[in-house]
Amino acid sequence: MKNNNLKLITTVTIIVMLVVSACKPKNIGNAVSADAAAKAYVAPGKYDAFYNFVSGGFSGQMSVYGLPSGRLLRVIPVFSVDPEKGWGYSEETKPMLNTSHGFVPWDDLHHTEMSQTNGEIDGRWIFGNANNTPRVARIDLKTFRTAEIIELPNSAGNHSSPFITENTEYVVAGTRFSVPSDNSNGDVPINTFKQNFKGYLSFISVGKEDGKMDIAFQIECPGVSFDLSHSGKGKSHGWFFFSCYNTEQANTLLEVNASQKDKDFIMAVNWKKAEEYLKAGKGKKVPVKYAHNTYSDKTHSATSEIKTEVTVLSAKELKDICYFIPCPKSPHGCDVDPTGEYIVGSGKLAALIPVFSFDKLQKAIAAKDFAGDFDGIPVVKYESALYGEVKKPGLGPLHTEFDGNGNAYTSFFVSSEVVKWNIKDLKVVDRVPTYYSVGHLCVPGGDSKKPSPKYLIAYNKITKDRYLPTGPELSQSAQLYDISGDKMQLILDFPTIGEPHYAQAVPAEVIKNNSLKIFKIDENANTYVAKGEGATKVVREGNKVHIYMTAIRSHLTPDNIEGIKIGDEVYFHVTNLEQDWDVPHGFAIKGASNGELLIMPGETQTLKWIPTKVAIYPMYCTDFCSALHQEMQGYIRVSPAGSSVPITFSTGTNKPAATPEKTN
Amino acid sequence: MQHNKINIWIRIGIAVCGVALFAVQFVPIWRIDLDAPQYPEGLRLLIYANKLGGDFDIINGLNHYIGMKTLHANDFIEFTVLPYIIGFFALLFIIVAAVGNKKFMYVLLGLFAAFGILAMVDFWRWEYNYGHNLDPKAAIIVPGMAYQPPLIGYKQLLNFGAYSIPDIGGWIFIAVGILLLIFVIIEIRLNSKIKNLFQCLQ
């Protein structure tokens, strides 16, 4: 009897355990269907269909991937030094990282945005923002190099950037941390936020032909945190939309104190109106200090200029530039659909997605349908601007991209998923999980007037068990979904550099044919160029020694240098004489306290070297250039200070000295 | 008296050939295409009447490994003489067309053919010298290996495949030669027909 009971209990327990474990949701491994590999496969030697420009987050750089393969094509150094490429180490590139605070070797690049013409990606430039020391960079997509960096005064934490208007008239920047203006006394108690702290938006004009950036004007706004932004397009061209949090104006424990209000704002900015005021002379010229750095592909060097003035328009005084639209729960993403009619706000803590109508907003503004004002800025009534809400889409909406076919795709950090919904009827159409906790997402052209909706890429913050473990520090990841069908389908998952935030993707054709192969040596206007081995020389100017050196397969000229002394500052100006595609030369010297040089064909780059010990120093080419790359090496003799060894230099002519005869 | 004159259509044809020869001055005559694993896009050496073209700078850079002399247009008497020779032939074609004398045409064919053969012999000699006169201190020495490109056609030289063929100018030359030959044959046939006719009349 007892035995039977025991048997029964055991059987029931086993059955219950089986049933319960069967109820556990299926593992994520099953979410990938069989044809995924074929969809993401790009055969060796074949090109990807899309370029994907991904922000590097705390790496400060921008990475370029091919889609659908997920192959890493290049990492473009932008705001952080890169000893591998000499970026920030060569004398030519150092000025690019100059700021009003001096040389800043690192930053945090969050968002990328490509230049547009008529609301479509034109493939000329891509912009990136520096979130720490506020700056905007422009990368030239002929060379895939950073061509220009402009610093932003009156700002702290440029997060809502570098979003652009539909003809790249402006690239914007905002301030994530409101601070007292640069021109005012900054030495105030931190808890005087409400009295002293302001939020500034910068409108940077972009030269139509050369892309040159210039701060056209700033708008002084109430002290809040500007988070993200997107420009209007089509009918809403002329307007810009910024999400704002911390309208509580808290200065401490923002996690709690900036989450008090049920609604914060999206700020609508009528920048055409701002232009009118600027023309009418309503701007105040304010003394500030900011760096403007440009790189020339002719001189192969950067120049840094410190500018001292900016024009500021006051949103409070000039009443009809800025309007606040209430938006639930600390909005983050602020995205405008391809028609320009719908503005999607994503409250980080909300369980719904509000969609605002540009037409309704215009009517409400015209009718002065305001709920009041915030620090002198009119607040439009929520219902008067609202088109509708997507109900129960998920938890923690962050960002939205569009496919141009009437659908929106929103990322959800908390519920770790991408949700596809229909803009017209605000109904959820499909949802897919992400692994794990997606931040930004990207559809090629997904924030332009003309998306190419073949893929969607989710950029995830957490990877945990997704890849082989690599100690406590794990990579972030990108996940590629095919969205060409009704259902989103996960087809690939790949690790990324740094932390990917926003990204842009574009059909390869828009970019690949403009890609430069070499720099023409005849056009090299570097002060220290040697346009041939005959032009190489070593010139002493006091304790500065300039070495005009050339590199060609497979020797450096000169490769034997004597007459350098302790106390000298030596400048290696290395010109790569090659005029052939994909033949860079590198240059490194023992004991150099900076980095190496990587010199592209036709280019001149300079490495500064201060020898500290009397010795013979080797130098060599670091980039495997040819069969005799390993032979591409030379020596420098460093003599004591005050030595009388004369400067001599040569390649191939310094014959072995005769061995002295023995005298015994 | 008529039988010493060239048919009017053939004279026009010869004149056109003369004009075409003038054009040869401005287009590449020969080309050598090279490809290697490191050069999937290929390198091309173009030979004009008076200069070298294409990627000869890059080819010079690569050739120093095997000790081949660098190619410089100034080193070749051919690049000075060739434009005059081509000009001379162009003029000669037009003169023959204007005069219309058959014997002149036969002589022209002879001269042109001789020049063609001589030119190819010279080209071969040029290739031979470059392929064989190598610097004994070169970095890469493969015993018994010469780097003479093919006169015409394809040949593998270490990691490079070399493909030597006429370019536009060369094809014009060949076309002109063939046309001239055809003209001569037609004339000879016409001649014998007329002779036959005379014989019949007698």
Side-chain angles (χ1 to χ4, degrees):
Chain A
M1 184 70 192
K2 247 190 175 178
N3 219 355
N4 271 352
N5 270 348
L6 199 67
K7 264 188 186 163
L8 188 71
I9 287 165
T10 314
T11 315
V12 167
T13 310
I14 288 168
I15 288 169
V16 166
M17 277 169 73
L18 280 173
V19 167
V20 168
S21 66
C23 286
K24 196 185 167 203
K26 283 249 158 58
N27 198 332
I28 30 87
N30 305 340
V32 183
S33 51
D35 64 340
K39 286 187 171 179
Y41 183 70
V42 178
K46 296 286 177 221
Y47 287 155
D48 279 292
F50 290 87
Y51 280 102
N52 187 198
F53 295 91
V54 185
S55 56
F58 45 64
S59 86
Q61 321 296 42
M62 197 184 286
S63 54
V64 187
Y65 292 87
L67 296 178
S69 73
R71 296 183 292 201
L72 177 63
L73 306 177
R74 182 166 167 72
V75 176
I76 305 170
V78 185
F79 294 116
S80 295
V81 294
D82 185 353
E84 169 194 323
K85 300 179 181 76
W87 182 252
Y89 291 101
S90 72
E91 295 306 299
E92 281 80 1
T93 57
K94 277 178 186 173
M96 287 305 281
L97 300 179
N98 191 35
T99 71
S100 61
H101 307 273
F103 183 84
V104 173
W106 170 90
D107 215 301
D108 185 12
L109 193 161
H110 276 229
H111 311 120
T112 61
E113 179 96 331
M114 297 181 82
S115 58
Q116 296 181 6
T117 303
N118 298 321
E120 291 178 33
I121 294 174
D122 61 25
R124 297 198 289 168
W125 310 301
I126 185 159
F127 299 88
N129 68 317
N131 191 42
N132 184 42
T133 303
R135 283 169 289 169
V136 167
R138 177 174 59 88
I139 287 111
D140 189 334
L141 291 177
K142 276 200 198 82
T143 56
F144 282 61
R145 284 181 170 188
T146 305
E148 192 178 6
I149 293 179
I150 195 163
E151 193 184 356
L152 304 156
N154 296 324
S155 302
N158 172 30
H159 193 266
S160 54
S161 179
F163 300 99
I164 59 159
T165 54
E166 70 177 27
N167 291 301
T168 322
E169 293 95 339
Y170 295 105
V171 49
V172 301
T175 189
R176 170 185 163 190
F177 300 86
S178 279
V179 282
S181 70
D182 290 358
N183 187 35
S184 66
N185 175 22
D187 184 15
V188 293
I190 295 172
N191 65 8
T192 58
F193 188 116
K194 286 195 170 101
Q195 297 84 338
N196 292 319
F197 290 30
K198 294 287 174 203
Y200 283 83
L201 303 177
S202 304
F203 280 74
I204 304 162
S205 61
V206 179
K208 257 193 156 39
E209 297 306 320
D210 57 9
K212 281 273 152 65
M213 298 191 287
D214 185 31
I215 302 178
F217 57 90
Q218 290 193 317
I219 303 176
E220 185 193 284
C221 298
V224 294
S225 290
F226 289 105
D227 201 1
L228 277 155
S229 68
H230 260 108
S231 80
K233 44 178 94 84
K235 61 160 80 173
S236 53
H237 178 60
W239 287 75
F240 227 104
F241 304 93
F242 292 82
S243 58
C244 328
Y245 65 101
N246 194 21
T247 55
E248 294 86 351
Q249 300 188 312
N251 57 277
T252 184
L253 196 62
L254 265 65
E255 177 182 11
V256 175
N257 293 332
S259 305
Q260 293 304 302
K261 288 192 179 170
D262 185 45
K263 287 191 176 69
D264 293 277
F265 299 122
I266 280 177
M267 190 165 82
V269 179
N270 185 345
W271 58 263
K272 288 265 186 198
K273 198 83 198 170
E275 278 182 337
E276 284 173 27
Y277 283 128
L278 192 71
K279 255 197 194 143
K282 301 282 188 191
K284 266 184 263 166
K285 297 209 184 296
V286 179
V288 286
K289 254 181 88 177
Y290 64 97
H292 182 206
N293 312 330
T294 49
Y295 193 85
S296 158
D297 286 334
K298 291 282 172 276
T299 62
H300 300 291
S301 3
T303 45
S304 177
E305 184 191 354
I306 295 290
K307 296 197 163 177
T308 53
E309 193 177 76
V310 73
T311 306
V312 176
L313 297 166
S314 163
K316 203 169 180 175
E317 287 165 23
L318 306 167
K319 290 279 178 215
D320 44 1
I321 302 178
C322 296
Y323 301 90
F324 280 127
I325 311 166
C327 188
K329 293 286 173 194
S330 301
H332 190 58
C334 179
D335 302 290
V336 182
D337 89 308
T339 67
E341 165 63 7
Y342 302 104
I343 302 128
V344 180
S346 298
K348 294 186 275 280
L349 308 172
L352 57 82
I353 307 171
V355 180
F356 301 100
S357 151
F358 181 72
D359 287 343
K360 281 187 79 177
L361 173 69
Q362 293 305 300
K363 274 190 206 131
I365 289 170
K368 293 202 180 328
D369 194 2
F370 300 143
D373 76 289
F374 179 86
D375 210 0
I377 310 291
V379 178
V380 176
K381 276 188 194 143
Y382 179 66
E383 292 75 15
S384 304
L386 187 74
Y387 171 72
E389 292 168 343
V390 184
K391 303 283 190 196
K392 298 196 172 158
L395 248 185
L398 287 187
H399 304 281
T400 303
E401 291 266 286
F402 305 91
D403 66 5
N405 301 322
N407 298 305
Y409 301 81
T410 302
S411 60
F412 288 80
F413 180 83
V414 179
S415 53
S416 186
E417 60 186 334
V418 172
V419 174
K420 176 181 177 182
W421 50 277
N422 184 283
I423 304 172
K424 271 267 143 34
D425 62 21
L426 304 170
K427 292 271 189 299
V428 171
V429 183
D430 189 22
R431 57 176 72 236
V432 284
T434 65
Y435 313 104
Y436 306 94
S437 287
V438 56
H440 280 272
L441 75 179
C442 164
V443 169
D447 70 339
S448 74
K449 263 165 128 171
K450 206 179 153 197
S452 313
K454 176 103 177 78
Y455 302 112
L456 179 147
I457 314 103
Y459 298 97
N460 303 311
K461 305 297 185 190
I462 297 168
T463 53
K464 287 254 166 99
D465 58 352
R466 295 299 290 179
Y467 307 116
L468 287 172
T470 54
E473 198 172 345
L474 303 171
S475 78
Q476 262 88 348
S477 80
Q479 265 159 351
L480 184 68
Y481 297 84
D482 182 339
I483 57 164
S484 55
D486 287 339
K487 289 275 177 193
M488 294 180 276
Q489 183 197 0
L490 176 63
I491 58 173
L492 187 70
D493 178 323
F494 57 95
T496 56
I497 65 140
E499 179 187 348
H501 294 257
Y502 193 46
Q504 296 260 285
V506 64
E509 289 68 37
V510 179
I511 298 204
K512 73 173 160 88
N513 297 327
N514 301 328
S515 203
L516 199 71
K517 289 186 172 167
I518 59 160
F519 295 106
K520 290 194 179 118
I521 186 101
D522 298 335
E523 294 171 9
N524 183 325
N526 189 291
T527 319
Y528 298 101
V529 66
K531 290 192 184 178
E533 292 179 1
T536 57
K537 57 187 173 182
V538 178
V539 179
R540 175 178 283 285
E541 288 169 5
N543 72 330
K544 288 191 170 70
V545 179
H546 293 278
I547 300 173
Y548 295 67
M549 184 180 273
T550 60
I552 193 163
R553 286 165 288 177
S554 307
H555 55 277
L556 298 165
T557 307
D559 69 0
N560 276 204
I561 301 167
E562 300 192 3
I564 308 297
K565 292 178 278 191
I566 295 294
D568 283 349
E569 267 176 24
V570 183
Y571 294 86
F572 295 95
H573 308 288
V574 188
T575 302
N576 180 347
L577 292 179
E578 308 283 354
Q579 288 291 278
D580 194 1
W581 192 23
D582 198 14
V583 193
H585 289 293
F587 179 82
I589 183 150
K590 181 180 170 182
S593 61
N594 36 23
E596 67 156 344
L597 297 175
L598 266 194
I599 315 133
M600 298 305 124
E603 192 182 31
T604 303
Q605 290 286 294
T606 301
L607 192 74
K608 183 179 170 181
W609 180 59
I610 302 175
T612 54
K613 281 190 270 185
V614 172
I616 298 289
Y617 286 83
M619 56 186 175
Y620 70 105
C621 171
T622 56
D623 187 324
F624 207 108
C625 57
S626 63
L628 298 178
H629 157 75
Q630 202 71 350
E631 282 71 13
M632 197 164 170
Q633 61 183 47
Y635 289 111
I636 293 194
R637 173 181 175 186
V638 174
S639 307
S643 154
S644 60
V645 176
I647 294 255
T648 53
F649 57 92
S650 61
T651 291
T653 55
N654 193 11
K655 298 286 184 235
T659 318
E661 279 178 41
K662 284 184 180 167
T663 52
N664 58 327
Chain B
M1 59 144 266
Q2 278 294 327
H3 15 144
N4 213 13
K5 276 276 172 200
I6 309 170
N7 175 294
I8 183 70
W9 292 109
I10 290 180
R11 284 170 69 181
I12 291 170
I14 293 171
V16 170
C17 285
V19 173
L21 282 180
F22 269 119
V24 171
Q25 305 272 20
F26 309 103
V27 292
I29 296 171
W30 210 269
R31 73 180 201 221
I32 300 176
D33 286 341
L34 300 164
D35 65 77
Q38 299 80 6
Y39 286 91
E41 74 276 23
L43 291 171
R44 178 168 288 179
L45 177 66
L46 295 175
I47 301 166
Y48 288 77
N50 61 341
K51 61 174 184 187
L52 290 167
D55 305 307
F56 71 94
D57 273 336
I58 295 173
I59 294 166
N60 276 341
L62 295 168
N63 283 349
H64 89 273
Y65 288 112
I66 52 168
M68 194 184 270
K69 276 200 284 183
T70 52
L71 298 161
H72 296 290
N74 293 341
D75 296 347
F76 296 96
I77 182 77
E78 286 88 339
F79 289 127
T80 321
V81 178
L82 208 52
Y84 292 107
I85 296 177
I86 293 168
F88 164 75
F89 271 109
L91 215 61
L92 209 59
F93 269 74
I94 287 165
I95 290 169
V96 168
V99 174
N101 187 308
K102 279 184 193 167
K103 280 190 184 139
F104 280 27
M105 182 167 77
Y106 302 149
V107 173
L108 181 62
L109 177 66
L111 278 176
F112 197 67
F115 169 68
I117 293 163
L118 216 72
M120 289 313 283
V121 168
D122 182 60
F123 184 43
W124 180 87
R125 191 184 56 92
W126 185 83
E127 289 185 327
Y128 181 90
N129 286 339
Y130 266 84
H132 289 81
N133 293 344
L134 304 170
D135 184 348
K137 286 183 119 182
I140 301 172
I141 293 179
V142 181
M145 181 76 190
Y147 303 94
Q148 180 178 2
L151 188 62
I152 187 158
Y154 180 83
K155 194 172 167 190
Q156 187 75 29
L157 302 166
L158 294 187
N159 60 330
F160 274 95
Y163 187 56
S164 173
I165 46 164
D167 210 319
I168 303 169
W171 290 120
I172 292 176
F173 248 100
I174 292 164
V176 165
I178 292 170
L179 275 176
L180 191 58
L181 183 67
I182 292 169
F183 292 160
V184 166
I185 291 168
I186 292 173
E187 274 300 334
I188 290 171
R189 287 214 174 148
L190 273 180
N191 231 358
S192 55
K193 266 187 194 164
I194 292 166
K195 267 185 193 159
N196 286 341
L197 199 71
F198 275 118
Q199 278 166 1
C200 287
L201 284 175
Q202 282 165 357

